[in-house]
């Protein structure tokens, strides 16, 4: 009785708060209704009579859907209606009062619980207002923020659609005590800019749970169909990745002499790694890889392959000193067939045999000219000094120009068996020195011409390897383009 007196005093304070005073009819109604009322038991006169609870959920807004934590946080308007058989009166006896409100903590409340709750469990039915009609109908209505588990399928992220469920039901009252029926409405839904609600369905079931075998419970399951707005992720993830993959094509157009093919590919690869990390932070740590993650990984693989291709091209273009000539099969299939398919044969004109003959003839003429010019110089020198009787007597074909030319050609000293030492020693000292000088000059000229010929042959071989590198570079470009297009097609087919 003391508790009821305190409650009546509390109700009088509430009804008399502000500028409104509780009337005698309100005081009398509250005294009569709550004189012997208890909120601890179900408000039925027959224990076998179940309490029918009607639950209406209005989804207002999606506050946050955490893909990584697999949770859904929403703002919902909840309305529950049931009949309290101990809160009935005749309005005529109480001045026509047919409805009044009071705090929900003063009446019996069904123990409705969110089964798949992902937040702290609390009695969210308390600390609100209920409205009671004269026929015993009690209506509880209030906005609530719920956080529930939602199995999010990120396979088609950011073009995904999610099916999230919220399951409500009594935790202690079985189906023989509380019968829960559910309704739902999406008219008040406001999009948060990321999620749009496609549809909403309600399913009421009567089933048994493993924590209380042998008894069945009523529950209401609300299923929400959401569709993500992908524009944000398109502009911040997908489109930049596409541009990066297109920029990576430029590595095949950079000439090997620039030295920037590898650095450009590595820069693009690092940029894609950053985008992949952003996606990994958003996605849940599951074995399911979203399409955008597959796209980033495929693009990274393609760019890594392009780096390997660029390394091969640069290796062929800047071939080392210990290189071998281009193999015949490579000349036939790479510089011939593949270059023709890639329409690059115009860049590599085949040398004609006539040109080779002319070059060989010029080389032979040059060597003959060297000998003739040198012989004429020596002959003129000998003619100038041949007027001397002493020198003329000492001059013979063996120690003359013929012997000098033979020494120049064979690099071996010649001797005349029929020539005695006296006649040989009679040659003047200046002529011998000039012969030695001319022989040394001819040797140096031969060295220079041989070095130039070696450099020309080496440069010719290097040019052949450069041509092979150009063909491979064009071929790798086509492979990269095919791989990029195939990646785009596969990604869009999975959406």
């Amino acid at each position: 009785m003391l508790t009821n007196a305190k409650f009546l005093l509390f109700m009088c304070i509430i009804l008399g708060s502000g500028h409104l005073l509780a009337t005698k009819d309100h005081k009398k109604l509250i005294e009569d209704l709550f004189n012997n009322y208890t909120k601890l038991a179900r408000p039925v006169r027959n224990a076998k009579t179940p309490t029918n609870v009607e639950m209406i959920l209005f989804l207002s807004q999606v506050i946050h859907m955490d893909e990584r934590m697999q949770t859904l946080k929403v703002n919902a308007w909840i309305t529950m209606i049931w009949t309290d058989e101990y809160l009935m009166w005749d309005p005529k006896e109480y001045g026509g009062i047919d409805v009044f409100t009071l705090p929900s903590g003063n009446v019996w409340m069904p123990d409705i619980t969110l089964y798949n709750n992902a937040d702290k469990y609390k009695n969210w039915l308390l600390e609100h207002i209920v409205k009671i009609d004269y026929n015993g109908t009690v209506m509880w209505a209030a906005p609530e923020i719920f956080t529930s588990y939602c199995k999010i399928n990120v396979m088609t992220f950011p073009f995904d659609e999610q099916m999230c469920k919220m399951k409500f039901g009594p935790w202690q009252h079985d189906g023989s005590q509380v019968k829960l029926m559910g309704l739902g409405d999406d008219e008040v839904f406001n999009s948060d800019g990321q999620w749009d609600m496609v549809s909403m369905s309600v399913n009421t079931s009567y089933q048994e749970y493993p924590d209380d075998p042998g008894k069945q419970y009523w529950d209401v399951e609300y299923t929400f169909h959401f569709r993500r707005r992908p524009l944000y992720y398109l502009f911040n993830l997908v489109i930049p990745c596409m541009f990066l993959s297109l920029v990576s094509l430029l590595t095949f157009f950079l000439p090997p002499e620039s030295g920037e093919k590898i650095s450009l590919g590595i820069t693009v690869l690092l940029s894609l790694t950053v985008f992949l990390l952003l996606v990994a932070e958003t996605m849940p740590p599951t074995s399911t890889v979203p399409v955008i993650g597959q796209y980033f990984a495929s693009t990274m693989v393609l760019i890594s392959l392009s780096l390997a291709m660029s390394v091969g091209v640069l290796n062929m273009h800047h071939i080392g000193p210990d290189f071998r000539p281009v193999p015949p099969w490579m000349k036939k299939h790479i510089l011939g067939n593949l270059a023709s398919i890639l329409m690059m044969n115009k860049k590599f004109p085949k040398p004609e045999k006539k040109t080779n003959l002319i070059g060989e003839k010029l080389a032979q003429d040059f060597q003959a000219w060297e000998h003739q010019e040198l012989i004429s110089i020596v002959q003129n020198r000998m003619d100038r000094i041949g007027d001397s009787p002493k020198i003329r007597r000492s001059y013979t074909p063996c120690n003359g120009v013929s012997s000098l030319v033979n020494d120049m050609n064979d690099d071996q000293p010649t001797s005349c068996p029929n020539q005695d030492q006296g006649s040989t020693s009679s040659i003047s000292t200046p002529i011998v020195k000039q012969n030695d000088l001319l022989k040394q000059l001819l040797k140096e000229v031969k060295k220079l011409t041989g070095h130039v010929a070696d450099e020309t042959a080496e440069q010719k071989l290097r040019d052949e390897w450069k041509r092979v590198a150009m063909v491979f570079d064009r071929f790798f470009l086509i492979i990269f383009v095919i791989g990029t297009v195939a990646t785009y097609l596969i990604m869009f087919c999975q959406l």
Side-chain angles (χ1 to χ4, degrees), residues 343-358:
M343 296 180 292
M344 299 180 66
N345 51 355
K346 294 183 179 179
K347 296 183 179 181
F348 312 137
K350 297 182 179 180
E352 298 180 357
K353 296 183 178 179
K354 185 177 179 181
T355 306
N356 291 337
L357 292 177
I358 294 176

Side-chain angles (χ1 to χ4, degrees), residues 237 240-242 244-245 248 266-278 295-296 298-301 303:
L237 290 178
C241 180
M242 290 183 176
L244 286 176
S245 61
S248 61
I266 293 176
T267 303
V268 175
L269 186 62
L270 292 177
S271 302
L272 284 176
T273 305
V274 173
F275 283 107
L276 186 60
L277 291 177
L278 293 176
Y295 171 67
F296 284 158
S298 302
T299 306
M300 291 178 66
V301 170
I303 294 178

Side-chain angles (χ1 to χ4, degrees), residues 375-385 401:
I375 292 172
S376 62
I377 293 174
V378 176
Q379 185 67 41
N380 293 333
R381 179 70 62 179
M382 297 300 295
D383 292 340
R384 292 178 183 176
I385 63 176
V401 177

Side-chain angles (χ1 to χ4, degrees), residues 15-36:
L15 295 174
S17 61
H19 299 283
L20 298 177
L21 297 176
T23 63
K24 294 181 179 180
D25 296 329
H26 282 95
K27 293 179 181 179
K28 183 181 178 182
L29 175 61
I30 292 175
E31 290 175 357
D32 294 342
L33 291 177
F34 292 94
N35 187 18
N36 295 319

Side-chain angles (χ1 to χ4, degrees), residues 421-457:
Q421 294 293 332
S423 61
T424 304
S425 60
S426 62
I427 302 176
S428 64
T429 302
I431 294 179
V432 174
K433 292 182 178 180
Q434 289 180 358
N435 290 341
D436 295 337
L437 179 60
L438 291 175
K439 289 168 63 176
Q440 188 67 26
L441 287 176
L442 183 58
K443 289 181 181 180
E444 296 299 328
V445 170
K446 284 186 176 181
K447 289 181 181 180
L448 290 176
T449 54
H451 180 70
V452 172
D454 293 340
E455 284 190 348
T456 303

Side-chain angles (χ1 to χ4, degrees), residues 334-479:
I334 304 300
L335 296 180
N337 300 333
L338 186 58
S340 300
I341 295 174
L342 299 177
M343 296 180 292
M344 299 180 66
N345 51 355
K346 294 183 179 179
K347 296 183 179 181
F348 312 137
K350 297 182 179 180
E352 298 180 357
K353 296 183 178 179
K354 185 177 179 181
T355 306
N356 291 337
L357 292 177
I358 294 176
E360 294 177 358
K361 187 175 183 303
L362 289 176
Q364 294 175 359
D365 292 344
F366 177 74
Q367 294 178 357
W369 173 82
E370 287 180 342
H371 292 169
Q372 293 174 2
E373 185 69 18
L374 188 57
I375 292 172
S376 62
I377 293 174
V378 176
Q379 185 67 41
N380 293 333
R381 179 70 62 179
M382 297 300 295
D383 292 340
R384 292 178 183 176
I385 63 176
D387 296 335
S388 174
K390 184 179 179 180
I391 298 176
R392 185 182 300 113
R393 288 194 301 269
S394 65
Y395 176 76
T396 63
C398 183
N399 58 19
V401 177
S402 299
S403 176
L404 179 61
V405 173
N406 291 331
D407 291 342
M408 293 175 182
N409 288 333
D410 299 333
D411 294 330
Q412 296 292 336
T414 59
S415 61
C416 288
N418 298 325
Q419 187 74 22
D420 56 0
Q421 294 293 332
S423 61
T424 304
S425 60
S426 62
I427 302 176
S428 64
T429 302
I431 294 179
V432 174
K433 292 182 178 180
Q434 289 180 358
N435 290 341
D436 295 337
L437 179 60
L438 291 175
K439 289 168 63 176
Q440 188 67 26
L441 287 176
L442 183 58
K443 289 181 181 180
E444 296 299 328
V445 170
K446 284 186 176 181
K447 289 181 181 180
L448 290 176
T449 54
H451 180 70
V452 172
D454 293 340
E455 284 190 348
T456 303
E458 181 179 348
Q459 186 62 36
K460 182 179 179 181
L461 296 177
R462 290 182 181 274
D463 292 340
E464 288 183 350
W465 280 111
K466 289 181 180 180
R467 293 171 183 175
V468 173
M470 291 176 63
V471 175
F472 273 113
D473 200 18
R474 180 68 60 85
F475 179 66
F476 292 153
L477 170 62
I478 295 175
I479 293 178

